[in-house]
Amino acid sequence: MPMVNSKEMFKKAYEGGYAIGAFNVNNMEIIQGITEGAKMENAPLILQVSAGARKYAKHVYLMKMIEAAIEDTDLPIVVHLDHGPDFETCKSCIDGGFTSVMIDGSHLPFEENIALTRKVVEYAHDRNVTVEAELGRLAGVEDDVKVSAEDSSYTRPEEVEEFATRTGCDSLAIAIGTSHGAFKFKGEPKLRFDILEEVSKRLPGFPIVLHGASSVIPSYVDMINQYGGNMPGAQGVPEEMLRKAASMAVCKINIDSDLRLAFTGELRKHFAEHPDHFDPRQYLTDARTGIREMVRHKIVDVLGCNGKA
Ligand code: G3H
Ligand code: 13P
Ligand code: ZN
């Protein structure tokens, strides 16, 4: 199975009323945990790489490890740039073998977001690479950029047709109340499903992307706190809301924080239970298994893409 772009994957997801998991990767154990979980559930997969991940692990290492995972699992896998900050980063990822990129112009004025996204689309489509764009702005922390609640803004449905038509993008990330990181809501979680509905009415058949979609699974927050961590007040998107979004026009659901929690929770537990261990293979095996089980849970209980590879 070759690396694929997101075109066919999203078409099937849209028609089938399910979503594909887009999981962030930063190292070998995370890549192996995700792909082993997806293999066990026979699920299509998006592995996404942020600018921070490229800086941490280097493009070439991540690419070679993802190629190995594809060879090992024989699954359809999209290799995607998460939150591409500029044209040059998108170009470098396309030239370096990615099959999909996100250009995140969500902080720009409408016309500038269109111009930048259009430029990336032209370069990408000539090379059979799909492009995700963003309209509206999520709150939370991405890499070293922190967007405050006051600076965030919901997507305006009346803008989406013009944006999609003029940019030619293949999918659109929208802001309906989710945010990046482990602290998403003060008080009751609320998502603007009315905005999602209005956007999908205006763009029938068009794949929508949900960022900031970790549920911040309480059992892992508890595990971290039980073994010496300190994450009071962590809160994520309830899974029933994600299931609802996946049954609607949302074809891609981004999950990073829940993977970080699983990895860290299992590490803390391992060290608490085995204070004498110092072989990385021992504790990283537990962390990798934590990632695998988290991904299986997402695929089966949230995304509904099990058996769809
Ligand atoms: O949305 C951001 C993702 O969680 C990636 O985070 O930029 O810290 O790698 P990062
Ligand atoms: P979370 O922080 O909710 O996992 O969101 C990840 C994300 O949107 C990556 O682009
Ligand atoms: Zn994101």
Side-chain angles (χ1 to χ4, degrees):
M1 181 81 62
M3 238 173 243
V4 294
N5 69 26
S6 63
K7 199 107 199 147
E8 274 302 301
M9 217 182 254
F10 285 167
K11 189 170 180 290
K12 287 190 199 157
Y14 198 101
E15 287 164 3
Y18 61 88
I20 314 293
F23 300 100
N24 286 75
V25 299
N26 291 282
N27 66 15
M28 184 184 77
E29 283 74 15
I30 294 175
I31 292 171
Q32 288 180 334
I34 296 167
T35 52
E36 282 168 17
K39 180 69 183 171
M40 288 165 89
E41 303 304 338
N42 194 30
L45 202 53
I46 299 171
L47 295 179
Q48 55 185 12
V49 175
S50 68
R54 288 177 90 224
K55 196 166 148 199
Y56 170 75
K58 288 193 184 172
H59 183 101
V60 64
Y61 284 84
L62 292 169
M63 199 63 199
K64 296 288 177 196
M65 288 190 287
I66 292 170
E67 280 167 9
I70 293 173
E71 191 179 323
D72 190 36
T73 59
D74 205 27
L75 287 174
I77 295 181
V78 173
V79 188
H80 176 75
L81 169 66
D82 189 28
H83 292 285
D86 47 43
F87 175 79
E88 288 68 31
T89 308
C90 293
K91 179 178 181 303
S92 160
C93 287
I94 294 166
D95 296 346
F98 282 27
T99 53
S100 176
V101 292
M102 174 187 190
I103 175 67
D104 184 352
S106 60
H107 55 291
L108 296 172
F110 188 66
E111 284 298 328
E112 287 175 39
N113 191 355
I114 288 182
L116 176 60
T117 303
R118 179 75 217 156
K119 188 174 172 193
V120 172
V121 166
E122 278 168 9
Y123 191 80
H125 283 185
D126 280 348
R127 292 155 183 84
N128 198 28
V129 168
T130 40
V131 179
E132 174 186 330
E134 180 163 340
L135 255 188
R137 197 160 190 218
L138 270 67
V141 185
E142 291 158 30
D143 215 351
D144 43 12
V145 181
K146 183 164 174 12
V147 183
S148 67
E150 302 78 65
D151 288 336
S152 68
S153 56
Y154 292 114
T155 302
R156 293 155 51 90
E158 59 275 23
E159 290 181 346
V160 297
E161 291 144 292
E162 183 183 353
F163 186 85
T165 311
R166 287 179 58 198
T167 61
C169 66
D170 302 282
S171 61
L172 185 65
I174 62 169
I176 61 168
T178 61
S179 64
H180 291 108
F183 302 89
K184 296 193 192 294
F185 299 99
K186 285 201 184 83
E188 193 168 329
K190 198 173 171 307
L191 292 194
R192 292 284 306 273
F193 279 99
D194 57 317
I195 295 180
L196 173 56
E197 254 163 40
E198 188 57 34
V199 166
S200 47
K201 258 190 224 148
R202 289 168 182 263
L203 293 176
F206 196 83
I208 301 302
V209 178
L210 208 55
H211 282 247
S214 279
S215 294
V216 189
I217 310 260
S219 57
Y220 273 106
V221 177
D222 291 348
M223 189 191 273
I224 288 173
N225 289 338
Q226 182 185 348
Y227 294 110
N230 183 21
M231 298 190 67
Q235 199 191 4
V237 185
E239 290 188 336
E240 63 271 18
M241 290 189 186
L242 297 171
R243 279 193 286 274
K244 181 173 169 186
S247 74
M248 298 167 68
V250 171
C251 294
K252 172 175 180 272
I253 291 192
N254 284 13
I255 298 164
D256 189 2
S257 295
D258 275 333
L259 299 182
R260 296 178 180 192
L261 290 172
F263 199 97
T264 305
E266 294 295 348
L267 275 187
R268 282 193 175 277
K269 181 165 181 275
H270 187 102
F271 283 125
E273 290 175 350
H274 307 281
D276 57 323
H277 279 183
F278 65 98
D279 179 343
R281 291 172 297 186
Q282 291 173 317
Y283 52 82
L284 290 177
T285 296
D286 281 1
R288 183 173 59 189
T289 304
I291 296 274
R292 185 189 77 201
E293 292 307 307
M294 177 65 77
V295 166
R296 292 182 68 197
H297 163 66
K298 296 289 179 187
I299 287 171
V300 174
D301 300 324
V302 180
L303 304 158
C305 60
N306 42 315
K308 309 289 188 188

